[in-house]
Amino acid sequence: MSQATPTVPYRQIRALYDDSTITVYQAYSPSIADAAVAAQRLDASPDFRPGRMTWIKPSWAWIMYRAGYSYKDARQARILALRMTHAHFLGLLNRGVLSHGGNLAPDRLDKNAEVRIQWDPERTPALHRLPYRSIQIGIPGSLSAQWVADWIISIEDVTDTARELKRTLDENPDVELQELVNRGLVPVEKFFPVPESIMAKLDMTLPEQAS
């Protein structure tokens, strides 16, 4: 796939969002996803296991990579788009501690942190590795009930979009990114601003560091 790579800070949050909500992604089994979409609650199926750490990702390309466009694993065969408020999203970040050191000294890591933050290589829609990072947020079991009951505003199954994206890329590997956006197969993810205190806490790249 032909794609120009813009200059992007090494660690920066990019997401689909509006004035009040932000979209994050998770992949589940069909039984969990069907019940979740119907009831608009992740725990609607008895197959959903509360009390376990669960990872959310604001990057569409990264969930494509993680779930193999929904084909990688039967337990991740359905991709869900979950909307939450900016306030709840920022609240998670404010509780977060890096799960690996990055540029932080080991003695600054809290192994007992409630929320874990990882910065993994971002991907293109064709799953090629990019030279900057994408955030993954681990919600611990201790916050699972609150996440399910209070923090999720809506749940949408976007599996068909993921599979159509893969079909399109398989048929035309040189398709331009803008064409994928125009077809509704890739969302427009913009820089999501956060307070400087969170940027420092999560070792994010400050604007003046980007070149």
Side-chain angles (χ1 to χ4, degrees):
M1 182 182 67
S2 175
Q3 175 182 340
T5 302
T7 299
V8 176
Y10 187 62
R11 295 186 185 91
Q12 178 195 71
I13 298 172
R14 296 166 301 278
L16 175 65
Y17 65 93
D18 57 25
D19 290 342
S20 59
T21 66
I22 183 170
T23 298
V24 297
Y25 301 98
Q26 291 189 300
Y28 286 102
S29 67
S31 62
I32 292 175
D34 284 339
V37 171
Q40 291 294 289
R41 279 186 66 105
L42 275 181
D43 61 354
S45 167
D47 294 332
F48 181 83
R49 297 183 183 179
R52 299 178 63 184
M53 176 164 280
T54 184
W55 292 85
I56 61 174
K57 306 156 183 65
S59 167
W60 172 249
W62 215 94
I63 194 67
M64 295 299 97
Y65 168 73
R66 181 67 181 86
Y69 303 100
S70 82
Y71 294 114
K72 185 176 181 178
D73 186 330
R75 294 169 297 179
Q76 299 179 342
R78 299 284 287 282
I79 298 172
L80 301 180
L82 312 169
R83 290 171 60 240
M84 60 189 302
T85 66
H86 292 190
H88 287 143
F89 184 77
L90 290 171
L92 285 174
L93 297 182
N94 197 48
R95 298 187 193 208
V97 169
L98 296 172
S99 61
H100 49 74
N103 293 332
L104 296 180
D107 60 2
R108 288 180 60 188
L109 297 179
D110 179 0
K111 298 299 184 182
N112 298 314
E114 285 190 302
V115 176
R116 309 305 293 270
I117 303 295
Q118 290 184 186
W119 291 100
D120 296 311
E122 182 61 284
R123 303 283 167 163
T124 70
L127 310 188
H128 300 144
R129 182 169 174 159
L130 289 166
Y132 46 88
R133 298 282 163 156
S134 175
I135 195 169
Q136 327 299 325
I137 304 165
I139 303 174
S142 60
L143 293 178
S144 177
Q146 192 172 14
W147 157 246
V148 168
D150 302 328
W151 295 350
I152 300 173
I153 292 176
S154 68
I155 304 174
E156 179 185 1
D157 189 331
V158 291
T159 309
D160 287 347
T161 302
R163 293 180 176 182
E164 179 62 17
L165 173 60
K166 184 179 189 307
R167 186 191 68 80
T168 300
L169 290 167
D170 287 346
E171 291 181 355
N172 182 10
D174 295 324
V175 62
E176 296 288 341
L177 176 60
Q178 188 58 51
E179 178 63 20
L180 297 175
V181 172
N182 293 344
R183 294 187 190 184
L185 301 179
V186 172
V188 177
E189 294 173 349
K190 301 175 294 183
F191 164 63
F192 183 80
V194 301
E196 288 188 10
S197 59
I198 291 179
M199 293 186 72
K201 181 183 182 69
L202 302 183
D203 199 25
M204 296 174 66
T205 308
L206 296 171
E208 60 266 24
Q209 293 176 292
S211 60

